[in-house]
Amino acid sequence: MTSTPVALRRQAEAGSEIIRRRRLSDEVQSRLETMIHDGRYPPGEQLPSERELMQMFGVGRPAVREALFSLQKMGLVAIQAGDRARVTRPTPEAVVEGLSGAARHLLAAPGGVENLQDARLFFEVGLARHAAEHAAKADIDSLANALEANRQAIGDLETFERTDVAFHFKLAVIAKNPIFTALHQAIVEWLVEQWHTTLSWSGRKGTFKKAYEAHKAIFEAIVLRDPDAAEKAMRSHLAHVSRVYWEAKEARP
């Protein structure tokens, strides 16, 4: 028997409702998240046991465990074997860490590295300008120490790489924003292969000195309180880093 248009429409509507229906674990997660944000379970306090949560929401253990696992990934709870989940305050590091898996997939996609290089340029140019405008004397002294450590490491790949990262990290610290320092740490992790390839490539002499001189130019612009010069120096530095990286990649057998 052929279905009527009305019957077909009702079937489509019913199917649409089924597609939109949330999983039980998603509903449990949403309700617990609301309770945490509303202060019913403040940071440091334990959530009810799994059994109590099952009774509270009328769901099975798998739904409760999936919900708690999702909340843990969000940085809202900490889970330890044999103990009830404890509410925690999400940190910038936890938030950024949650993005790491997606970031690695983006890096593996066509144009992924270029996109992250552009994002790093946008981010670090802002840090350089901010440092030139707002760095306190203590900040400049700390940056000077990082620059000197970078100079002394010229010729030592492992140490130079570490002091290179440390110099850039100081710029993020100057902003006094924990999200910026977490982002910097994530970018270092995501671009670690670029950092190592650029500094270790034997096809270009003077890589260490070139990087140090770039850091010195950024530092001097910050000391002079010249944000435009700091931006120009950072742009030049990161453009050179990107260019050397791609040349090194093409030169590999």
Side-chain angles (χ1 to χ4, degrees):
M1 180 176 178
T2 304
S3 298
T4 65
V6 173
L8 290 172
R9 178 169 57 81
R10 288 175 177 172
Q11 290 173 7
E13 289 174 351
S16 177
E17 290 173 0
I18 292 173
I19 291 173
R20 289 197 300 268
R21 187 177 299 159
R22 300 179 73 183
R23 294 186 308 165
L24 288 175
S25 61
D26 292 338
E27 187 64 35
V28 173
Q29 173 194 327
S30 178
R31 294 190 188 186
L32 284 173
E33 188 177 348
T34 298
M35 291 176 179
I36 291 171
H37 288 320
D38 289 347
R40 181 169 173 179
Y41 299 111
E45 187 170 318
Q46 287 184 317
L47 292 178
S49 68
E50 288 185 357
R51 183 175 297 278
E52 290 170 326
L53 290 173
M54 290 163 59
Q55 295 173 349
M56 182 187 300
F57 298 119
V59 298
R61 192 178 301 274
V64 168
R65 288 186 171 177
E66 287 180 27
L68 292 175
F69 179 70
S70 296
L71 291 172
Q72 183 182 41
K73 289 174 63 178
M74 296 167 63
L76 292 178
V77 304
I79 302 174
Q80 292 184 336
D83 199 1
R84 288 185 291 164
R86 186 179 299 277
V87 177
T88 59
R89 193 180 302 278
T91 64
E93 290 78 10
V95 174
V96 172
E97 177 61 27
L99 299 174
S100 293
R104 292 188 184 96
H105 283 291
L106 290 173
L107 279 171
V113 174
E114 292 94 329
N115 289 336
L116 189 54
Q117 287 173 334
D118 288 344
R120 181 193 176 193
L121 175 65
F122 189 88
F123 177 59
E124 294 223 36
V125 160
L127 293 179
R129 291 190 65 90
H130 182 277
E133 294 171 337
H134 302 288
K137 182 180 183 303
D139 295 324
I140 292 176
D141 290 344
S142 180
L143 194 61
N145 291 335
L147 180 66
E148 176 59 18
N150 190 227
R151 185 192 68 79
Q152 293 181 9
I154 291 176
D156 181 334
L157 174 60
E158 183 177 346
T159 305
F160 191 88
E161 188 172 345
R162 185 176 68 252
T163 57
D164 186 324
V165 170
F167 177 84
H168 286 268
F169 181 71
K170 290 294 184 182
L171 297 176
V173 171
I174 288 172
K176 297 177 175 59
N177 185 324
I179 294 178
F180 288 169
T181 54
L183 279 173
H184 179 273
Q185 290 169 335
I187 289 173
V188 169
E189 178 185 343
W190 298 336
L191 286 179
V192 64
E193 188 264 342
Q194 172 186 290
W195 237 294
H196 187 74
T197 297
T198 302
L199 292 175
S200 63
W201 184 41
S202 59
R204 179 179 289 272
K205 295 181 179 180
T207 301
F208 293 141
K209 187 174 181 181
K210 182 77 174 179
Y212 164 74
E213 292 294 342
H215 295 158
K216 183 180 178 182
I218 295 167
F219 172 76
E220 290 174 347
I222 292 171
V223 171
L224 293 174
R225 304 293 185 184
D226 189 338
D228 291 337
E231 174 177 343
K232 182 179 179 181
M234 181 63 78
R235 284 186 179 278
S236 176
H237 173 43
L238 295 186
H240 176 262
V241 169
S242 295
R243 185 168 60 252
V244 172
Y245 171 74
W246 291 113
E247 288 177 3
K249 293 284 284 186
E250 292 175 3
R252 284 181 173 179

